[in-house]
Amino acid sequence: MLGFNGTYFQPDTLQLTGIPGMQTGHAWVALIFCTFYLISIIGNLSILALVVRESSLHQPMYYFLSMLSLNDLGVSFSTLPTVLATFCFSYCHIGFNACLVQMFFIHTFSFMESGILLAMSFDRFVAICDPLRYATVLTNSRILAMGLGILAKSFTTLFPFPFLVKRLPFCKGNVLHHSYCLHPDLMKVACGDIHVNNIYGLFVVIFTYGIDSTFILLSYALILRAVLAIASQEQRLKALNTCMSHICAVLAFYVPIIAVSMIHRFWKSAPPVVHVMMSNVYLFVPPMLNPIIYSVKTKEIRRGIFKVFYKSQS
């Protein structure tokens, strides 16, 4: 945008958009998003409360699950204010600095989720490949150190992003393509040399998603080798069953990311609604699905839920 002296400047506010082509159906979209938020917030809070309350769940696997639930709450609360404002109250403006803050937290929590899923894969690797040392390897202090390490890694790698955006002039309008702020969206309306932003963004993606997904695949290759070495078919199935919840959580997180990348790479002429919907799936579906996945697939979580429900009925 041009200032009075002909120079480019940063707008005071940015305009958020809903879903292209669905301006008249915002009531239904708002209902869907509110349902997603409700399931995500109640589900993840329930997981956290259950792990804290039930002493039988004070184990490494459930500590990592608590980290995942806490992070999913962070993802939900990062997008909630602007999404509800856009679809429920038709208020589509956000301050420039507030947009940078939201962008930072959305990306930070997304990258943290990848690190937590990697830590959970390590938990399953130790539990299956070296079960006798499980309690001595995954001590409370080490679990805490892993959690803090994931937080520090995500925070430090994402911390330069707001400053890299802040230095840029904006001349291509102030309209973003989502109901929340993302770095790629801001790059589309920024002027000047954005190569540093793009290169650093690629580095962060490779340093987080690329490395994390590689080690997750490696851990499951080692797990599969250990499982195939078990003589009893019943024991093999039992060992694999302990990994199913985590495998589903990994797929729920990485499949939308891969789909978004493939669409941007090979289907650049796709309608805007496709890009927006895939981005929404990437941010809204994993926090909603994870509590459901672990409630359905994990016997101890189901038992804890039934126990709490039975006590409340009594």
Side-chain angles (χ1 to χ4, degrees):
M1 300 178 70
L2 284 172
F4 291 110
N5 59 357
T7 59
Y8 297 114
F9 70 97
Q10 294 165 349
D12 292 331
T13 62
L14 295 167
Q15 183 177 336
L16 304 172
T17 56
I19 298 177
M22 298 186 67
Q23 285 77 6
T24 58
H26 273 188
W28 287 104
V29 177
L31 180 62
I32 293 172
F33 280 132
C34 286
T35 304
F36 284 176
Y37 280 124
L38 196 63
I39 295 172
S40 174
I41 293 171
I42 292 177
N44 286 298
L45 283 176
S46 299
I47 293 289
L48 285 171
L50 198 62
V51 172
V52 170
R53 179 173 178 172
E54 296 296 321
S55 57
S56 61
L57 299 180
H58 294 175
Q59 302 175 36
M61 174 182 174
Y62 303 107
Y63 291 148
F64 287 122
L65 178 57
S66 298
M67 291 183 196
L68 185 64
S69 294
L70 195 61
N71 187 79
D72 284 340
L73 286 171
V75 174
S76 297
F77 285 123
S78 295
T79 59
L80 186 145
T82 54
V83 170
L84 293 188
T86 301
F87 291 105
C88 296
F89 305 104
S90 298
Y91 184 79
C92 303
H93 297 279
I94 183 173
F96 183 78
N97 290 328
C99 184
L100 296 184
V101 172
Q102 185 185 48
M103 176 199 71
F104 171 76
F105 280 109
I106 289 176
H107 288 302
T108 298
F109 283 121
S110 296
F111 288 126
M112 280 181 63
E113 181 139 353
S114 178
I116 293 169
L117 290 172
L118 173 59
M120 295 175 81
S121 71
F122 178 71
D123 167 79
R124 292 298 83 205
F125 165 75
V126 177
I128 293 175
C129 298
D130 199 1
L132 297 179
R133 297 183 57 210
Y134 182 71
T136 57
V137 171
L138 290 171
T139 60
N140 290 345
S141 59
R142 285 178 179 168
I143 293 171
L144 179 60
M146 291 170 71
L148 292 176
I150 293 168
L151 174 61
K153 174 188 172 185
S154 300
F155 184 87
T156 53
T157 53
L158 269 298
F159 187 72
F161 264 131
F163 301 100
L164 290 174
V165 176
K166 184 82 172 175
R167 70 185 177 87
L168 294 172
F170 286 75
C171 63
K172 300 177 183 177
N174 66 337
V175 180
L176 304 182
H177 295 86
H178 297 86
S179 51
Y180 40 81
C181 297
L182 296 177
H183 182 258
D185 254 9
L186 289 166
M187 290 303 95
K188 291 178 181 178
V189 295
C191 301
D193 187 3
I194 62 172
H195 286 93
V196 174
N197 294 68
N198 290 333
I199 292 172
Y200 188 72
L202 180 61
F203 162 76
V204 170
V205 169
I206 295 174
F207 185 62
T208 52
Y209 293 153
I211 293 177
D212 291 347
S213 59
T214 299
F215 278 104
I216 289 173
L217 288 173
L218 177 62
S219 66
Y220 272 102
L222 296 174
I223 288 171
L224 186 60
R225 186 181 69 175
V227 168
L228 292 177
I230 300 174
S232 170
Q233 182 177 359
E234 182 180 352
Q235 292 298 317
R236 287 201 297 268
L237 293 175
K238 184 178 179 180
L240 286 175
N241 191 53
T242 63
C243 300
M244 288 309 299
S245 298
H246 179 253
I247 292 173
C248 292
V250 169
L251 292 176
F253 180 73
Y254 276 105
V255 168
I257 292 176
I258 295 172
V260 169
S261 300
M262 295 294 286
I263 289 173
H264 279 290
R265 177 68 181 84
F266 298 107
W267 194 16
K268 295 182 179 179
S269 61
V273 66
V274 175
H275 294 280
V276 173
M277 291 302 294
M278 287 307 302
S279 296
N280 288 336
V281 168
Y282 152 63
L283 281 176
F284 292 108
V285 171
M288 180 189 67
L289 281 184
N290 288 336
I292 298 173
I293 290 170
Y294 277 92
S295 299
V296 172
K297 298 296 294 181
T298 307
K299 181 172 63 177
E300 290 77 6
I301 296 291
R302 289 201 309 272
R303 186 184 295 126
I305 293 172
F306 290 142
K307 184 178 178 181
V308 172
F309 181 76
Y310 177 75
K311 284 183 178 180
S312 65
Q313 290 296 315
S314 301

